[in-house]
Amino acid sequence: MSASSPSAPRGQDLPPATNWRRPQINQGWLARLLDSKTFLIIACLTPALGLLMVFLTYPLGLGIWLAFTDTHIGRGGVFVGFENFESLWYDWVFWGAVFYTVFYTTVATVLKFGLGLWLALLLNENVPFKSLLRAIILLPWIVPTVLSAIAFWWMFDAQFSIISYILVDVLGWRDTYIDFLGTPWHARWSLVFANVWRGIPFVAISLLAGLQTISPSLYEAALLDGASSWQRFTRITAPLLMPILAVVLTFSVLFTFTDFQLVYAITRGGPINSTHLMATLAFQRGIPGGQLGEGAAIAVSMIPFLILATLFSYFALARRKWQQGEAND
Amino acid sequence: MTKAATADDGSALLSWQSRQRRVVTVYVPLLIFVFILLFPFYWMTITTFKPNAELYDYKNFNPFWVAAPTLANIKKLLFETSYPHWLFTTMLVAVCSTVLSLVSSVLAAYAIQRLRFKGSAYVGLAIYIAYLVPPSILFIPLATMVFQLGLFDSPMALILTYPTFLIPFCTWLLIGYFKSIPYELEECALIDGATRLQILRQITLPLAVPGLISAGIFSFTLSWNEFIYALAFISSSENKTVPVAILTELVQGDVYQWGALMAGSLLGSLPVAIFYSFFVDYYVSSLTGAVKE
């Protein structure tokens, strides 16, 4: 920097201070342009906001429009009003998908948070090889979902399932192999299990980060006051963890509700449409089925739920800032 | 970490946790968790190296071990399918979309956090909300767009659409990082006559390098794992990404080649797992940082 700036006037005949002028840096038009704040703001925001506008905001609007048309692949559609939604209203496959989406989200989220919190508390104990453990535990989250789903598919095989093998031949708890993916309820629970398996690491590691911000002196004080471990958990850990829990919960619910990969990889909605999520049903009707309008209508039906989740997250975030006493962002 | 350790020692003294009790309440559950979380990977690996005779015969062979390991499945995957090509496409898409997202996110985060203009908080909020828009409701309209733009079945379609979920995440993460860099440093530089661009390049970015690495790694793994766009926008076999190709190209007919499928899953997971193992700490910090911000 010093090399580029012209040296201040110096020498034998120093001019009086009143005559001194700020040395004029002869900037090119480009440098001047880059120093203009308005230009900079626009230039900096354009790539990100441009990409998001074109590939996120516009498709979101287009999707809502498509839901009200009868577009097929390769053929533009015309506006048909609520026809798509009306036919969905009388479509038991759609209602089955809505039921399973809600069931899948609720059960998987409860299990993920119960087990994830437990795992986070275990990791927060002073255990050896903590960072190695943390790295290992995150593996299910790193590996592409579809690939671990294929592993689960093989583990849920009707004839050669290793889980059945353990239950029947090793432990002798059952007489017959379980048909994991052949009957509706078995398939539903198997998918929930796979989802929980994949979701625990994210919940556990995020909550662990939250746990580590809680000051140990609070626990010491509580111990001196004679609080039991359950009291310490409900009075110190839970309230202080609540804000981060709310955010993690929002993300988890959102991504579980709109899940696609796991179900598509393992069952593709079968047997007899019992494990369709709204996303997989939208895909099946929209892309291979060609009925883009109807697929879009199913996808759009997810939006009210997403808005609820977003609002929840926003207020949880606002509450957290209020607790920290930060004035603005 | 040290604080937590001392606290634990304190609690151990005060509440008198005996060693046995600690084993039952901490180590045993932890072991069970690790076992369940890792078992599918073990199973994936062991199946990859099993010859077909062992794969379908639990009576004569112990299913938990390989009696005669074979490389046939891996060989089949590498030389009889276009796996190398899929790997290359995935790499290309992941790298390009990561770079694209990082550049746009750095600029956007700098503008929102440092150039402080009217409404910058709302732009930040809008980007946060964009993160909550899931690909599952965008893929149908995006598919029609991709088709109209003539990008269908080209990696370009993926490079341009992946930033929709990468940019919000990276921007949000980098805003947090920029926030932690003292503003005074930039003011000093401004007084010394540095231009805004110089400040970004010579002061802010070097200090935000850990954040950049975290965001980059997270983006890379996210684009490696992406599935629904790649499934919907790509149709020809050689342009598919690894996760899509393994599911759609290796599963044919009713008889599944489990050995080859598991080999595909293993080899598809390994690159990202190895990449991850080098940067675990950055990855964890980005995961938790994004949640905390």
Side-chain angles (χ1 to χ4, degrees):
Chain A
M1 255 176 292
S2 57
S4 65
S5 63
S7 56
R10 69 177 65 182
Q12 292 84 357
D13 51 343
L14 264 172
T18 45
N19 289 349
W20 185 81
R21 281 185 182 181
R22 187 170 182 270
Q24 288 293 308
I25 303 166
N26 195 12
Q27 291 173 319
W29 63 272
L30 191 67
R32 273 205 312 274
L33 192 62
L34 287 174
D35 253 1
S36 136
K37 204 169 161 183
T38 326
F39 171 80
L40 264 184
I41 290 168
I42 294 170
C44 285
L45 286 177
T46 304
L49 289 190
L51 270 170
L52 289 181
M53 287 284 179
V54 175
F55 291 103
L56 194 123
T57 317
Y58 173 69
L60 197 61
L62 184 66
I64 296 173
W65 162 251
L66 282 177
F68 293 98
T69 66
D70 61 350
T71 314
H72 282 242
I73 281 185
R75 165 171 88 70
V78 290
F79 183 78
V80 293
F82 282 91
E83 217 168 82
N84 287 324
F85 293 98
E86 265 172 49
S87 72
L88 284 179
W89 185 264
Y90 297 108
D91 184 351
W92 68 270
V93 176
F94 171 72
W95 286 111
V98 173
F99 161 75
Y100 186 57
T101 311
V102 173
F103 173 84
Y104 180 80
T105 311
T106 318
V107 176
T109 307
V110 168
L111 289 176
K112 262 187 270 192
F113 273 79
L115 295 170
L117 181 60
W118 188 18
L119 183 55
L121 289 170
L122 290 176
L123 286 174
N124 202 32
E125 297 280 332
N126 191 19
V127 290
F129 308 114
K130 194 167 171 177
S131 53
L132 180 71
L133 268 178
R134 203 171 59 173
I136 289 175
I137 280 166
L138 260 179
L139 261 185
W141 177 259
I142 307 297
V143 166
T145 314
V146 174
L147 304 182
S148 53
I150 294 175
F152 269 100
W153 190 13
W154 170 225
M155 284 166 60
F156 290 147
D157 189 83
Q159 260 184 299
F160 300 103
S161 165
I162 189 66
I163 302 172
S164 292
Y165 176 83
I166 293 173
L167 291 178
V168 176
D169 295 325
V170 179
L171 299 170
W173 289 356
R174 284 180 61 98
D175 296 329
T176 52
Y177 273 32
I178 305 167
D179 188 7
F180 283 105
L181 302 175
T183 52
W185 277 104
H186 282 167
R188 285 177 182 147
W189 282 105
S190 304
L191 290 176
V192 168
F193 178 78
N195 183 278
V196 170
W197 176 84
R198 186 176 185 273
I200 284 179
F202 171 67
V203 177
I205 300 299
S206 314
L207 292 186
L208 179 63
L211 284 176
Q212 283 169 343
T213 61
I214 300 177
S215 162
S217 57
L218 291 173
Y219 292 107
E220 285 162 20
L223 267 173
L224 289 174
D225 288 345
S228 68
S229 60
W230 176 248
Q231 280 173 324
R232 268 177 283 153
F233 177 75
T234 53
R235 301 295 172 86
I236 299 175
T237 314
L240 286 174
L241 209 55
M242 208 43 84
I244 203 169
L245 195 77
V247 179
V248 181
L249 186 70
T250 313
F251 279 108
S252 176
V253 167
L254 210 68
F255 291 130
T256 316
F257 192 84
T258 58
D259 196 10
F260 173 82
Q261 314 192 11
L262 203 72
V263 172
Y264 186 82
I266 300 183
T267 65
R268 303 216 177 174
I272 43 170
N273 293 323
S274 60
T275 56
H276 260 309
L277 293 175
M278 287 161 89
T280 52
L281 190 66
F283 180 84
Q284 199 198 36
R285 299 263 168 96
I287 306 287
Q291 294 171 313
L292 290 172
E294 200 179 330
I298 298 171
V300 164
S301 320
M302 292 195 271
I303 291 181
F305 186 88
L306 300 179
I307 291 175
L308 272 179
T310 312
L311 287 177
F312 180 75
S313 154
Y314 176 70
F315 287 115
L317 275 174
R319 197 177 131 215
R320 177 166 174 269
K321 273 162 195 161
W322 167 75
Q323 280 184 334
Q324 284 181 335
E326 274 184 49
N328 61 351
D329 66 341
Chain B
M1 195 112 153
T2 48
K3 269 185 188 169
T6 51
D8 204 81
D9 294 339
S11 71
L13 266 178
L14 283 165
S15 68
W16 197 73
Q17 279 190 313
S18 69
R19 202 173 170 76
Q20 285 86 344
R21 191 178 147 175
R22 201 171 148 77
V23 166
V24 174
T25 56
V26 177
Y27 294 117
V28 171
L30 208 54
L31 271 180
I32 294 174
F33 266 116
V34 170
F35 175 77
I36 291 177
L37 289 177
L38 288 188
F39 185 77
F41 298 117
Y42 171 74
W43 197 234
M44 206 189 256
T45 317
I46 211 93
T47 310
T48 305
F49 295 108
K50 272 185 189 176
N52 275 344
E54 284 183 52
L55 197 54
Y56 303 114
D57 188 353
Y58 289 176
K59 296 280 177 286
N60 297 320
F61 297 98
N62 178 3
F64 293 103
W65 199 242
V66 204
T70 168
L71 288 176
N73 290 319
I74 290 178
K75 200 176 141 199
K76 188 181 163 196
L77 186 78
L78 288 182
F79 299 107
E80 289 169 37
T81 67
S82 357
Y83 180 82
H85 206 110
W86 300 331
L87 197 66
F88 173 75
T89 314
T90 318
M91 205 69 98
L92 176 81
V93 169
V95 169
C96 290
S97 52
T98 300
V99 170
L100 183 63
S101 315
L102 263 189
V103 171
S104 351
S105 305
V106 165
L107 292 175
Y110 183 76
I112 291 168
Q113 176 59 27
R114 279 303 199 244
L115 296 177
R116 287 175 195 280
F117 53 97
K118 225 178 188 172
S120 58
Y122 293 104
V123 176
L125 186 68
I127 287 181
Y128 177 69
I129 288 174
Y131 189 49
L132 300 177
V133 178
S136 310
I137 64 176
L138 291 177
F139 71 94
I140 289 179
L142 271 176
T144 66
M145 276 179 69
V146 161
F147 212 83
Q148 279 164 358
L149 292 174
L151 294 174
F152 188 74
D153 202 20
S154 92
M156 202 58 201
L158 303 182
I159 293 172
L160 284 176
T161 48
Y162 284 4
T164 55
F165 55 88
L166 298 180
I167 288 179
F169 175 81
C170 294
T171 311
W172 201 247
L173 192 75
L174 288 171
I175 287 178
Y177 260 93
F178 285 157
K179 214 184 278 179
S180 69
I181 298 170
Y183 196 58
E184 289 76 13
L185 282 176
E186 294 188 17
E187 284 173 337
C188 289
L190 264 181
I191 290 170
D192 286 345
T195 63
R196 291 268 181 189
L197 210 64
Q198 278 176 320
I199 296 176
L200 178 63
R201 219 178 51 218
Q202 294 178 354
I203 295 179
T204 315
L205 279 189
L207 286 172
V209 160
L212 288 178
I213 298 179
S214 300
I217 289 158
F218 212 88
S219 306
F220 183 83
T221 49
L222 274 185
S223 20
W224 190 282
N225 296 0
E226 208 287 329
F227 182 69
I228 190 166
Y229 289 163
L231 181 69
F233 305 157
I234 303 289
S235 69
S236 62
S237 168
E238 68 267 25
N239 281 341
K240 283 180 175 167
T241 60
V242 171
V244 175
I246 286 173
L247 190 69
T248 55
E249 299 289 316
L250 295 185
V251 180
Q252 280 161 344
D254 286 339
V255 181
Y256 303 127
Q257 298 289 320
W258 285 113
L261 263 175
M262 288 298 112
S265 303
L266 185 69
L267 290 190
S269 313
L270 269 184
V272 69
I274 291 169
F275 182 73
Y276 155 78
S277 69
F278 286 121
F279 300 101
V280 184
D281 290 331
Y282 288 109
Y283 192 89
V284 171
S285 79
S286 66
L287 181 73
T288 54
V291 170
K292 272 196 275 186
E293 277 314 318

